[in-house]
């Protein structure tokens, strides 16, 4: 009797379970696609959506096993796949009412690459100004079918998203040009030593600060962003009004255009206001130089500027040049109705030769069309002028007339203003891609909890103006990602920003930020690549990404993959010892010894109790550097590489540069 009751109860439970489960169509999280790489020898979460309480069957070919998952009341399901050692290709079959077959799946090592433009910069470069060394040769030889890249599209969101776009691409000469150059060279070095498939997930956006990439509960710990929750609430209230406003305009999709092709597009499709006698009586005015955001608020736009000026010089003389300073991002420039130049690059000075006899006695008209589709914009810095033999003949500073043609809904979608458009009635937008938490929400949150080996990070240039704050904000980001991924203290390797002329008043803002990056290595399982020897003080996007990727791989090979014979870092400051009027500096990671390729060490300074620093003599003594200055009798502190543009010459014998530091 007892046995019969047990059987009846079992049958009842099975029928109840069957009545509460069903089959329905499945949607997978965006990372689960053909050609993907899964982390080897791990429990890999797989997730997606169906109707609530649906049964989902998952088959994996590498172990010939099937597992079952059930969606919850919201329709989401999550389960883990047990992966074996590296190999492939394999298949994954996910079935319920429909069946999804993922093909050409590899098991290997998966890394997430994130940050701003130096991480985003593709292997093909951004021509003509930002190139990658030997780019064409590198691309032609990029035949690595076991390297795969997933690129997360640029998006912002006020709240964490579950889904994003993107697809996995196999590394071939046809695809490699679009890969992050740093990620590619990292993978190329790794696959050479490990001989396993490498999966690269790229989530990057140029010109963005660290706070954009962290969740709100971490961003609000930074004093500048303590009000971010209320800012987001206001933005949510304005969102529908803004969408109605911008969707009332004609739409242009620019996603298939190279940046170098945009001037041609504008010449063909948008109103031209370059003529000498163009009626601009109704145009507004504002002072130049000035950034878009200062004048118009948070907006990315295409704007025509016009400046009428009087020329009383010798029009027959040759050699006149127009200087406009840097323009963010792209311009086309006309004088008296004739195009005299066009260029791109937000930090590149615009200097255009004026053709002979184009200048007129008396009235002249300069017209400049400016396109900015991300971040800051405009003719924003410098002293616009006409010069001859480097002497200012006409100053162009002051009021310019302007007419805004339209604005960008996103970096690749332009909206042309119509006759009814009133910029002053534009619903207020507080947030953009540079705002706290918006990139984490749209470009990181959808990736969690995808199993990965670690993170590679290259960012900091956009936080140079708040360098001390970075010592707090950067560790906050690392802790946030580790906590939300719940995979422990996974490796987090990053690149110290390179020397560059930021035109800061103190010439030390970048040095302080580099120090903030250096001290972040106090966090467990972190590592920093130094780039002081491979930067470009005149270009914020250095061409040598080969060594950046290689040096990141050295950290991973030694610290993550246990190859202890690999020297992974240059000298890192450890401590100081004061000896009379000398200071001895101790270093970690000296490799097989300290090395200077020149006769004299550079960029060392020391200070006494008064805190005033003087250039110092520095000499290598074994695994230490001895520093002194005749101007400091009782030294207390030493610092090294302490300018924005410092390119010091202390290395270890393996050729890896020492990191800048301050003993304070």
């Amino acid at each position: 009797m007892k046995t019969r009751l047990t059987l009846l109860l079992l049958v009842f439970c099975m029928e109840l379970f069957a009545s509460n489960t069903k089959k329905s169509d499945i949607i997978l999280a965006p990372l689960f696609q053909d050609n993907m790489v899964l982390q080897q020898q791990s429990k890999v979460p797989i997730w997606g959506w169906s109707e609530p309480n649906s049964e989902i069957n998952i088959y994996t070919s590498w172990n010939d096993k099937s597992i079952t998952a059930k969606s919850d009341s919201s329709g989401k399901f999550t389960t883990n796949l047990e992966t074996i050692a590296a190999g492939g290709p394999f298949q994954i079959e996910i079935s319920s009412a429909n069946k999804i077959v993922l093909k050409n799946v590899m098991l290997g090592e998966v890394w997430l690459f994130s940050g701003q433009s130096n991480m985003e910069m593709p292997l093909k470069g951004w021509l003509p100004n930002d190139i990658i060394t030997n780019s064409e040769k590198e691309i032609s030889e990029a035949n690595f079918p076991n390297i795969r890249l997933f690129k997360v599209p640029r998006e912002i969101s006020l709240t964490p998203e579950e889904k994003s776009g993107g697809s996995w691409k196999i590394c071939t000469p046809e695809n490699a040009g679009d890969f992050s150059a740093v990620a590619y060279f990292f993978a190329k070095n790794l696959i050479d030593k490990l001989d396993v498939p490498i999966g690269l997930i790229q989530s990057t956006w140029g010109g963005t600060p660290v706070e954009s990439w962290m969740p709100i509960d971490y961003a609000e710990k930074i004093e500048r962003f303590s009000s971010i929750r209320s800012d987001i609430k206001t933005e949510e209230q304005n969102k529908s009004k803004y969408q109605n406003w911008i969707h009332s305009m004609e739409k242009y999709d620019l996603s298939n255009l190279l940046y170098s092709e945009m001037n041609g597009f504008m010449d063909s499709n948008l109103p031209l206001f370059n003529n000498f006698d163009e009626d601009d009586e109704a145009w507004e005015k504002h002072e130049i130089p000035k950034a878009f955001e200062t004048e118009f608020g948070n907006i990315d736009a295409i704007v025509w500027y016009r400046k009428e000026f009087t020329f009383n010089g010798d029009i027959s003389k040759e050699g006149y040049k127009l200087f406009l300073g840097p323009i963010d991002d792209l311009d086309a420039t006309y004088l008296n109705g004739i195009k005299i130049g066009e260029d791109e690059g937000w930090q590149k000075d615009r200097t255009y030769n004026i053709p002979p006899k184009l200048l007129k006695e008396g009235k002249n008209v300069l017209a400049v069309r400016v396109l900015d589709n991300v971040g800051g914009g405009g003719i924003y810095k410098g002293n616009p002028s006409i010069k001859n033999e480097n002497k200012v003949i006409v100053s162009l500073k002051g009021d310019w007339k302007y007419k805004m043609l339209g604005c960008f809904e996103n970096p690749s979608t332009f909206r042309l203003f119509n006759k009814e458009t009133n910029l002053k009635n534009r619903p207020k937008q507080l947030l953009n891609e540079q705002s706290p938490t918006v990139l984490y929400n749209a470009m990181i949150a959808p990736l969690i909890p995808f199993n990965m080996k670690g993170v590679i990070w290259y960012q900091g240039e956009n936080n140079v103006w708040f360098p001390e704050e970075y010592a707090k904000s950067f560790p906050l980001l690392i802790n946030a990602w580790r906590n939300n991924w719940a995979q422990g203290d996974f490796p987090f390797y990053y690149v110290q920003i390179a020397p560059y002329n930021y035109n800061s008043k103190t010439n030390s803002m970048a040095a302080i930020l580099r120090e903030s990056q250096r001290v972040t290595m106090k966090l467990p399982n972190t590592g920093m690549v130094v780039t002081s020897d491979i930067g470009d003080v005149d270009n914020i996007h250095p061409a040598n990404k080969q060594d950046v990727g290689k040096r990141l791989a050295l950290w991973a090979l030694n610290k993550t993959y246990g190859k202890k014979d690999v020297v992974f870092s240059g000298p890192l400051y450890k401590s100081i010892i004061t000896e009379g009027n000398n200071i001895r500096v101790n270093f970690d990671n000296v490799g097989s010894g300290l090395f200077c390729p020149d006769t004299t060490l550079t960029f060392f300074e020391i200070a006494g109790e008064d805190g005033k620093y003087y250039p110092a003599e520095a000499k290598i003594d074994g695994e230490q550097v001895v520093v002194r200055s005749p101007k400091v009798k009782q030294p207390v502190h030493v610092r090294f590489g302490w300018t924005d543009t410092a390119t010091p010459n202390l290395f270890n014998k393996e050729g890896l540069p020492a990191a800048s530091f301050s003993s304070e």
Side-chain angles (χ1 to χ4, degrees):
M1 184 69 180
K2 187 174 181 181
T3 302
R4 186 179 178 188
L5 285 173
T6 302
L7 288 171
L8 288 171
L9 183 60
L10 179 61
V11 169
F12 173 77
C13 290
M14 292 174 67
E15 290 177 349
L16 181 63
F17 177 78
S19 67
N20 286 324
T21 60
K22 54 189 175 184
K23 293 185 181 296
S24 65
D25 286 348
I26 307 161
I27 299 172
L28 292 175
L31 284 160
F32 297 93
Q33 299 183 34
D34 292 348
N35 306 318
M36 69 186 301
V37 181
L38 296 179
Q39 183 61 41
Q40 64 167 324
Q41 297 177 306
S42 299
K43 288 185 177 181
V44 177
I46 182 171
W47 68 99
W49 298 269
S50 62
E51 291 185 18
N53 303 312
S54 294
E55 182 181 288
I56 296 94
N57 297 305
I58 304 172
Y59 168 79
T60 50
S61 69
W62 57 80
N63 55 7
D64 193 29
K65 288 185 178 180
S66 295
I67 59 174
T68 301
K70 183 182 176 183
S71 60
D72 61 21
S73 58
S74 71
K76 185 173 182 178
F77 67 89
T78 304
T79 189
N80 290 323
L81 306 179
E82 296 274 357
T83 59
I84 60 174
F90 300 111
Q91 281 194 181
I92 305 175
E93 298 176 8
I94 307 97
S95 58
S96 186
N98 64 334
K99 184 177 182 179
I100 299 172
V101 180
L102 304 181
K103 300 175 182 178
N104 196 21
V105 175
M106 308 300 288
L107 304 183
E109 296 297 299
V110 180
W111 290 82
L112 169 62
F113 294 78
S114 190
Q116 56 180 109
S117 55
N118 271 306
M119 183 65 87
E120 183 177 41
M121 191 174 179
L123 190 55
K124 65 186 178 185
W126 291 314
L127 300 178
N129 302 313
D130 299 320
I131 64 170
I132 298 293
T133 304
N134 297 325
S135 176
E136 289 186 6
K137 183 176 184 292
E138 296 284 3
I139 292 171
S140 69
E141 296 175 354
N143 189 21
F144 296 97
N146 280 344
I147 295 177
R148 315 286 178 86
L149 174 78
F150 183 95
K151 184 185 289 187
V152 180
R154 285 179 168 190
E155 294 287 350
I156 70 171
S157 177
L158 302 180
T159 54
E161 300 288 345
E162 288 191 308
K163 301 174 185 177
S164 75
S167 61
W168 288 91
K169 301 293 184 183
I170 298 173
C171 183
T172 65
E174 292 72 31
N175 290 330
D178 294 320
F179 282 34
S180 157
V182 170
Y184 170 77
F185 290 120
F186 173 87
K188 185 179 176 183
N189 279 274
L190 227 56
I191 206 166
D192 179 59
K193 303 298 183 189
L194 302 179
D195 193 26
V196 299
I198 306 293
L200 313 172
I201 302 171
Q202 178 185 337
S203 183
T204 56
W205 193 322
T208 55
V210 68
E211 58 269 14
S212 297
W213 296 96
M214 62 178 69
I216 191 169
D217 49 334
Y218 288 80
E220 66 186 354
K221 295 178 182 179
I222 303 168
E223 186 176 353
R224 277 196 300 139
F225 310 118
S226 58
S227 65
I228 184 60
R229 286 187 188 272
S230 61
D231 292 344
I232 286 177
K233 186 175 181 180
T234 301
E235 191 84 349
E236 287 174 333
Q237 293 169 348
N238 287 339
K239 188 174 181 179
S240 60
K241 295 179 182 178
Y242 180 80
Q243 292 296 321
N244 290 337
W245 178 79
I246 202 165
H247 288 165
S248 68
M249 308 168 202
E250 187 176 356
K251 176 181 175 181
Y252 292 88
D253 182 2
L254 310 184
S255 58
N256 293 322
L257 288 180
L258 298 174
Y259 220 63
S260 56
E261 297 172 331
M262 285 193 178
N263 265 324
F265 161 81
M266 290 185 285
D267 289 344
S268 302
N269 294 278
L270 303 182
L272 292 172
F273 296 109
N274 56 343
N275 292 331
F276 178 83
D277 56 354
E278 189 74 45
D279 181 13
D280 57 14
E281 190 65 30
W283 290 24
E284 301 281 346
K285 293 181 181 180
H286 79 71
E287 189 178 5
I288 293 291
K290 181 182 284 188
F292 278 5
E293 286 69 21
T294 306
E295 181 66 24
F296 309 128
N298 180 19
I299 195 169
D300 298 315
I302 299 175
V303 178
W304 273 102
Y305 286 103
R306 290 169 62 86
K307 176 73 171 178
E308 183 178 316
F309 64 93
T310 301
F311 185 78
N312 296 318
D314 183 354
I315 60 172
S316 64
K317 192 174 182 179
E318 296 187 359
Y320 289 107
K321 294 179 183 291
L322 171 65
F323 290 81
L324 292 173
I327 295 179
D328 191 354
D329 290 287
L330 183 146
D331 74 288
T333 298
Y334 298 79
L335 180 60
N336 295 329
I338 304 299
K339 182 183 280 190
I340 61 172
E342 62 181 36
D343 212 338
E344 61 181 274
W346 68 279
Q347 291 188 313
K348 184 178 182 181
D349 284 331
R350 303 309 201 267
T351 302
Y352 298 132
N353 294 321
I354 298 177
K357 300 182 181 180
L358 184 56
L359 282 166
K360 305 177 184 293
E361 290 185 16
K363 175 186 172 182
N364 292 261
V365 175
L366 181 65
V368 183
R369 183 181 60 209
V370 178
L371 177 149
D372 167 60
N373 68 339
V374 63
I379 307 171
Y380 67 96
K381 188 171 68 173
N383 296 300
S385 61
I386 292 172
K387 296 183 181 181
N388 193 289
E389 296 178 352
N390 218 28
K391 179 182 177 181
V392 175
I393 307 301
V394 178
S395 173
L396 300 172
K397 289 183 68 174
D399 283 343
W400 289 47
K401 291 186 174 183
Y402 71 86
K403 183 177 181 65
M404 188 176 291
L405 294 186
C407 62
F408 284 87
E409 182 177 358
N410 57 55
S412 60
T413 304
F414 176 71
R415 296 283 184 169
L416 180 66
F417 288 175
N418 52 45
K419 292 181 179 180
E420 290 73 35
T421 303
N422 187 337
L423 186 61
K424 294 179 181 178
N425 292 337
R426 174 172 59 107
K428 190 175 182 182
Q429 265 194 311
L430 295 173
L431 305 180
N432 61 12
E433 74 280 355
Q434 296 183 335
S435 303
T437 202
V438 296
L439 299 186
Y440 171 84
N441 291 337
M443 298 178 66
I444 297 298
L447 308 178
I448 300 172
F450 193 76
N451 194 304
M452 62 184 181
K453 181 61 78 171
V455 171
I456 306 293
W457 176 261
Y458 195 164
Q459 189 276 335
E461 296 89 346
N462 259 64
N463 289 89
V464 157
W465 309 108
F466 300 93
E468 294 93 349
E469 179 186 272
Y470 203 76
K472 178 179 181 180
S473 58
F474 186 30
L476 276 173
L477 176 133
I478 296 172
N479 288 329
W481 287 19
R482 285 174 169 173
N483 289 340
N484 288 2
W485 243 281
Q487 289 181 199
D489 290 337
F490 51 69
F492 199 108
Y493 303 135
Y494 55 93
V495 183
Q496 191 181 52
I497 61 172
Y500 178 71
N501 182 12
Y502 289 91
N503 293 310
S504 67
K505 292 180 180 179
T506 62
N507 194 28
S508 63
M509 306 284 276
I512 298 170
L513 188 126
R514 290 188 199 105
E515 183 73 350
S516 295
Q517 292 178 312
R518 185 184 70 84
V519 299
T520 298
M521 282 193 289
K522 294 177 181 177
L523 292 181
N525 214 7
T526 56
M528 182 182 74
V529 162
V530 179
T531 58
S532 57
D533 62 324
I534 54 175
D536 183 340
V537 297
D538 297 317
N539 190 334
I540 203 167
H541 302 128
N544 183 355
K545 294 296 191 284
Q546 286 88 339
D547 282 320
V548 178
K550 179 180 179 180
R551 292 174 186 181
L552 287 161
L554 294 177
W555 274 95
L557 288 169
N558 182 292
K559 294 294 186 180
T560 305
Y561 297 109
K563 298 189 179 297
K564 298 305 179 185
D565 58 326
V566 173
V567 177
F568 58 91
S569 172
L572 295 173
Y573 169 75
K574 183 179 181 181
S575 62
I576 58 172
I577 302 170
T578 303
E579 297 176 344
N581 63 347
N582 293 338
I583 289 182
R584 284 187 175 270
V585 185
N586 296 304
F587 294 91
D588 289 322
N589 300 309
V590 297
S592 55
L594 297 177
F595 171 71
C596 175
D598 306 310
T599 55
T600 306
L601 286 170
T602 56
F603 290 98
F604 277 93
E605 300 171 281
I606 59 173
E609 289 287 354
D610 62 359
K612 188 174 182 179
Y613 280 89
Y614 295 91
E617 302 170 9
K619 294 182 180 180
I620 294 172
D621 184 11
E623 295 188 352
Q624 299 174 319
V625 171
V626 181
V627 188
R628 64 176 299 277
S629 170
K631 294 184 178 181
V632 182
K633 302 302 181 184
Q634 295 180 310
V636 176
H637 292 295
V638 61
R639 65 188 187 189
F640 169 67
W642 207 257
T643 70
D644 293 347
T645 56
T647 54
N649 58 359
L650 178 63
F651 299 80
N652 57 25
K653 290 181 179 178
E654 285 72 21
L656 298 174
S660 58
F661 68 86
S662 170
S663 64
E664 291 188 66

